[in-house]
mmCIF file of all heavy atoms in Angstrom:
data_model
loop_
_atom_site.group_PDB
_atom_site.id
_atom_site.type_symbol
_atom_site.label_atom_id
_atom_site.label_comp_id
_atom_site.label_asym_id
_atom_site.label_seq_id
_atom_site.Cartn_x
_atom_site.Cartn_y
_atom_site.Cartn_z
ATOM 1 N N ARG A 1174 -23.018 15.467 -41.087
ATOM 2 C CA ARG A 1174 -21.878 15.530 -42.047
ATOM 3 C C ARG A 1174 -21.228 16.930 -41.943
ATOM 4 O O ARG A 1174 -20.025 17.039 -42.191
ATOM 5 C CB ARG A 1174 -22.497 15.356 -43.467
ATOM 6 C CG ARG A 1174 -23.013 14.059 -43.734
ATOM 7 C CD ARG A 1174 -23.659 13.929 -45.111
ATOM 8 N NE ARG A 1174 -22.608 13.882 -46.118
ATOM 9 C CZ ARG A 1174 -22.969 14.029 -47.450
ATOM 10 N NH1 ARG A 1174 -24.280 14.113 -47.806
ATOM 11 N NH2 ARG A 1174 -21.986 14.022 -48.267
ATOM 12 N N ARG A 1175 -22.021 17.883 -41.618
ATOM 13 C CA ARG A 1175 -21.385 19.288 -41.579
ATOM 14 C C ARG A 1175 -21.006 19.655 -40.212
ATOM 15 O O ARG A 1175 -20.495 20.824 -39.937
ATOM 16 C CB ARG A 1175 -22.439 20.353 -42.105
ATOM 17 C CG ARG A 1175 -22.831 20.094 -43.438
ATOM 18 C CD ARG A 1175 -23.863 21.218 -43.839
ATOM 19 N NE ARG A 1175 -24.326 20.926 -45.194
ATOM 20 C CZ ARG A 1175 -25.256 21.632 -45.789
ATOM 21 N NH1 ARG A 1175 -25.831 22.619 -45.082
ATOM 22 N NH2 ARG A 1175 -25.708 21.406 -47.054
ATOM 23 N N VAL A 1176 -20.956 18.663 -39.247
ATOM 24 C CA VAL A 1176 -20.469 18.830 -37.804
ATOM 25 C C VAL A 1176 -21.277 19.999 -37.228
ATOM 26 O O VAL A 1176 -20.670 20.663 -36.415
ATOM 27 C CB VAL A 1176 -18.957 19.060 -37.841
ATOM 28 C CG1 VAL A 1176 -18.425 18.716 -36.444
ATOM 29 C CG2 VAL A 1176 -18.221 18.289 -38.761
ATOM 30 N N ILE A 1177 -22.510 20.161 -37.652
ATOM 31 C CA ILE A 1177 -23.253 21.133 -36.867
ATOM 32 C C ILE A 1177 -23.897 20.508 -35.706
ATOM 33 O O ILE A 1177 -24.127 21.251 -34.611
ATOM 34 C CB ILE A 1177 -24.480 21.716 -37.845
ATOM 35 C CG1 ILE A 1177 -23.821 22.305 -39.118
ATOM 36 C CG2 ILE A 1177 -25.341 22.661 -37.084
ATOM 37 C CD1 ILE A 1177 -24.828 22.663 -40.132
ATOM 38 N N ARG A 1178 -24.089 19.274 -35.717
ATOM 39 C CA ARG A 1178 -24.844 18.599 -34.628
ATOM 40 C C ARG A 1178 -24.030 17.285 -34.381
ATOM 41 O O ARG A 1178 -23.480 16.660 -35.402
ATOM 42 C CB ARG A 1178 -26.205 18.236 -35.008
ATOM 43 C CG ARG A 1178 -27.114 17.633 -34.092
ATOM 44 C CD ARG A 1178 -28.476 17.521 -34.575
ATOM 45 N NE ARG A 1178 -29.330 16.742 -33.767
ATOM 46 C CZ ARG A 1178 -30.744 16.646 -33.973
ATOM 47 N NH1 ARG A 1178 -31.282 17.287 -34.973
ATOM 48 N NH2 ARG A 1178 -31.314 15.928 -33.216
ATOM 49 N N ARG A 1179 -23.966 16.856 -33.106
ATOM 50 C CA ARG A 1179 -23.367 15.667 -32.814
ATOM 51 C C ARG A 1179 -24.360 14.576 -32.352
ATOM 52 O O ARG A 1179 -25.503 15.026 -31.871
ATOM 53 C CB ARG A 1179 -22.304 15.779 -31.572
ATOM 54 C CG ARG A 1179 -21.319 16.695 -32.024
ATOM 55 C CD ARG A 1179 -20.276 16.891 -30.782
ATOM 56 N NE ARG A 1179 -19.848 18.328 -30.569
ATOM 57 C CZ ARG A 1179 -19.377 18.798 -29.558
ATOM 58 N NH1 ARG A 1179 -19.335 18.087 -28.446
ATOM 59 N NH2 ARG A 1179 -19.029 20.029 -29.478
ATOM 60 N N PRO A 1180 -24.085 13.332 -32.436
ATOM 61 C CA PRO A 1180 -25.222 12.436 -32.121
ATOM 62 C C PRO A 1180 -25.173 12.031 -30.650
ATOM 63 O O PRO A 1180 -24.260 12.375 -29.936
ATOM 64 C CB PRO A 1180 -24.530 11.171 -32.975
ATOM 65 C CG PRO A 1180 -23.181 11.214 -32.902
ATOM 66 C CD PRO A 1180 -22.888 12.796 -33.022
ATOM 67 N N TRP A 1181 -26.177 11.348 -30.225
ATOM 68 C CA TRP A 1181 -26.353 10.768 -28.953
ATOM 69 C C TRP A 1181 -25.537 9.445 -28.974
ATOM 70 O O TRP A 1181 -25.189 8.871 -30.028
ATOM 71 C CB TRP A 1181 -27.705 10.415 -28.579
ATOM 72 C CG TRP A 1181 -28.650 11.576 -28.438
ATOM 73 C CD1 TRP A 1181 -29.565 12.040 -29.414
ATOM 74 C CD2 TRP A 1181 -28.831 12.384 -27.337
ATOM 75 N NE1 TRP A 1181 -30.241 13.174 -29.026
ATOM 76 C CE2 TRP A 1181 -29.764 13.386 -27.799
ATOM 77 C CE3 TRP A 1181 -28.294 12.536 -26.071
ATOM 78 C CZ2 TRP A 1181 -30.288 14.395 -26.859
ATOM 79 C CZ3 TRP A 1181 -28.680 13.546 -25.226
ATOM 80 C CH2 TRP A 1181 -29.705 14.420 -25.624
ATOM 81 N N LEU A 1182 -25.157 9.016 -27.753
ATOM 82 C CA LEU A 1182 -24.303 7.849 -27.565
ATOM 83 C C LEU A 1182 -24.983 6.608 -28.278
ATOM 84 O O LEU A 1182 -24.339 5.863 -28.936
ATOM 85 C CB LEU A 1182 -24.172 7.591 -26.126
ATOM 86 C CG LEU A 1182 -23.216 6.344 -25.698
ATOM 87 C CD1 LEU A 1182 -21.916 6.402 -26.349
ATOM 88 C CD2 LEU A 1182 -23.160 6.215 -24.248
ATOM 89 N N ARG A 1183 -26.239 6.435 -27.896
ATOM 90 C CA ARG A 1183 -26.912 5.225 -28.514
ATOM 91 C C ARG A 1183 -27.068 5.334 -30.128
ATOM 92 O O ARG A 1183 -26.766 4.274 -30.810
ATOM 93 C CB ARG A 1183 -28.366 5.208 -27.940
ATOM 94 C CG ARG A 1183 -29.025 3.815 -28.309
ATOM 95 C CD ARG A 1183 -30.459 3.915 -27.918
ATOM 96 N NE ARG A 1183 -30.795 4.141 -26.484
ATOM 97 C CZ ARG A 1183 -30.902 3.158 -25.603
ATOM 98 N NH1 ARG A 1183 -30.944 1.910 -26.080
ATOM 99 N NH2 ARG A 1183 -31.083 3.432 -24.349
ATOM 100 N N THR A 1184 -27.299 6.501 -30.558
ATOM 101 C CA THR A 1184 -27.257 6.652 -31.991
ATOM 102 C C THR A 1184 -25.912 6.412 -32.663
ATOM 103 O O THR A 1184 -25.821 5.759 -33.631
ATOM 104 C CB THR A 1184 -27.667 8.148 -32.348
ATOM 105 O OG1 THR A 1184 -28.827 8.433 -31.629
ATOM 106 C CG2 THR A 1184 -27.842 8.317 -33.763
ATOM 107 N N PHE A 1185 -24.907 6.912 -31.944
ATOM 108 C CA PHE A 1185 -23.553 6.688 -32.495
ATOM 109 C C PHE A 1185 -23.217 5.219 -32.587
ATOM 110 O O PHE A 1185 -22.724 4.767 -33.653
ATOM 111 C CB PHE A 1185 -22.611 7.321 -31.545
ATOM 112 C CG PHE A 1185 -21.081 7.054 -31.801
ATOM 113 C CD1 PHE A 1185 -20.412 7.757 -32.857
ATOM 114 C CD2 PHE A 1185 -20.488 6.178 -31.053
ATOM 115 C CE1 PHE A 1185 -19.170 7.481 -33.050
ATOM 116 C CE2 PHE A 1185 -19.052 5.819 -31.230
ATOM 117 C CZ PHE A 1185 -18.430 6.518 -32.362
#
Side-chain angles (χ1 to χ4, degrees):
Chain A
R1174 295 175 71 189
R1175 295 179 186 174
V1176 202
I1177 298 173
R1178 181 175 172 172
R1179 297 179 220 162
W1181 295 99
L1182 176 60
R1183 189 190 296 267
T1184 307
F1185 171 81

